[in-house]
């Protein structure tokens, strides 16, 4: 359905059009996300790994500001009043707060990549493949279920193709894959 070279060509076309402000913001996005987690861990006296795990598991279907707010709300009050994401992820976040290591709780390539990119943005080779990135990969404004299934369902062949394309193109721009991904979000 997709090849690494197809995605790479689309990615280069998009990346070449990015303005300098977006470029710099993208390069710093995961570093800043990690800083938010460091501050949150310090504020609430819990481990950085726990904060990043909670943030990552609560992230699907949430915009960034809501993701940060619900992460802090759950850590502080052990409850979330209004949540945009999947309700079962709240239970996973609670397991992390109860001491279970995020590596055993997190599931799905997108959430695991997001976790690793925030945990170690300076060395991560992961790409957070979400619906924004899938639209870019397919060069579509609206995705059909077949596109999402190709990337997210069992085997995740599409996810592997997209990640490989991002790694390939990141080299061209002297970026880490997660930086390129954030630049093209």
């Amino acid at each position: 359905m997709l090849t690494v070279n197809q995605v790479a060509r689309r990615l280069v076309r998009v990346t070449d059009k990015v303005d300098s402000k977006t470029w710099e913001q993208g390069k710093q996005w995961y570093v800043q996300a990690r800083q938010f987690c460091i501050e949150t861990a310090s504020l609430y006296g819990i481990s950085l790994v726990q904060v990043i795990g909670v943030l990552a598991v609560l992230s699907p279907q949430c915009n960034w500001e809501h993701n940060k707010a619900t992460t802090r709300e759950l850590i502080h009050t052990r409850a979330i009043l209004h949540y945009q994401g999947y309700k079962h992820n709240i239970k996973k976040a609670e397991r992390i707060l109860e001491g279970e290591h995020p590596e055993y709780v997190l599931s799905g390539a997108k959430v695991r990549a997001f976790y690793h990119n925030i945990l170690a943005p300076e060395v991560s080779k992961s790409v957070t493949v979400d619906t924004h990135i899938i639209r870019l990969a397919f060069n579509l404004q609206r995705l059909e279920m077949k596109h999402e299934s190709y990337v997210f369902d069992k085997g995740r062949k599409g996810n592997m193709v997209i990640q490989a394309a991002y790694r390939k193109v990141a080299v061209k721009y002297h970026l880490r894959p997660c930086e390129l991904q954030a630049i093209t979000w």
Side-chain angles (χ1 to χ4, degrees):
M1 193 174 234
L2 278 180
T3 68
V4 171
N5 287 335
Q6 285 173 322
V7 177
R9 283 191 301 273
R10 291 174 183 147
L11 183 53
V12 167
R13 279 196 304 268
V14 169
T15 304
D16 283 345
K17 295 177 184 174
V18 171
D19 62 71
S20 61
K21 181 179 177 187
T22 301
W23 187 275
E24 288 308 313
Q25 287 173 336
K27 280 185 68 174
Q28 294 303 309
W29 199 93
Y30 281 106
V31 172
Q32 291 170 351
R34 187 175 200 288
Q35 186 58 42
F36 165 81
C37 292
I38 290 169
E39 292 166 6
T40 302
S42 177
L43 180 65
Y44 295 108
I46 66 172
S47 76
L48 177 61
V49 169
Q50 284 178 300
V51 175
I52 296 171
V54 169
L55 182 80
V57 80
L58 293 177
S59 68
Q61 300 299 309
C62 292
N63 70 51
W64 179 234
E65 293 307 316
H66 182 74
N67 190 195
K68 291 189 302 184
T70 55
T71 295
R72 281 197 171 170
E73 181 181 9
L74 183 63
I75 291 168
H76 181 66
T77 67
R78 296 299 197 252
I80 299 175
L81 294 177
H82 304 288
Y83 177 57
Q84 298 170 350
Y86 301 116
K87 301 296 183 207
H88 67 272
N89 285 342
I90 296 172
K91 293 288 183 209
K92 290 181 179 182
E94 290 168 344
R95 288 170 49 201
I96 293 168
L97 290 174
E98 290 167 2
E100 201 168 338
H101 196 282
E103 290 287 347
Y104 301 116
V105 177
L106 302 177
S107 60
K110 181 262 183 196
V111 172
R112 294 181 75 76
F114 194 56
Y115 171 81
H116 288 286
N117 286 336
I118 295 171
L119 183 64
E122 303 83 12
V123 296
S124 179
K125 302 256 188 282
S126 296
V127 179
T128 305
V129 179
D130 62 7
T131 54
H132 304 289
I133 299 303
I134 298 169
R135 282 194 294 273
L136 185 151
F138 281 102
N139 195 31
L140 295 171
Q141 293 296 317
R142 297 191 70 157
L143 296 173
E144 295 176 24
M145 185 56 76
K146 67 180 179 181
H147 301 114
E148 291 187 44
S149 295
Y150 177 66
V151 175
F152 292 132
D153 287 353
K154 192 172 183 177
R156 299 185 291 267
K157 182 175 189 315
N159 192 297
M160 291 183 280
V161 168
I162 294 168
Q163 290 220 26
Y166 267 83
R167 288 185 188 106
K168 178 179 179 177
V169 174
V171 171
K172 170 184 165 88
Y173 294 100
H174 307 286
L175 297 167
R176 289 185 302 282
C178 65
E179 290 175 323
L180 179 60
Q181 175 256 308
I183 287 167
T184 61
W185 239 335

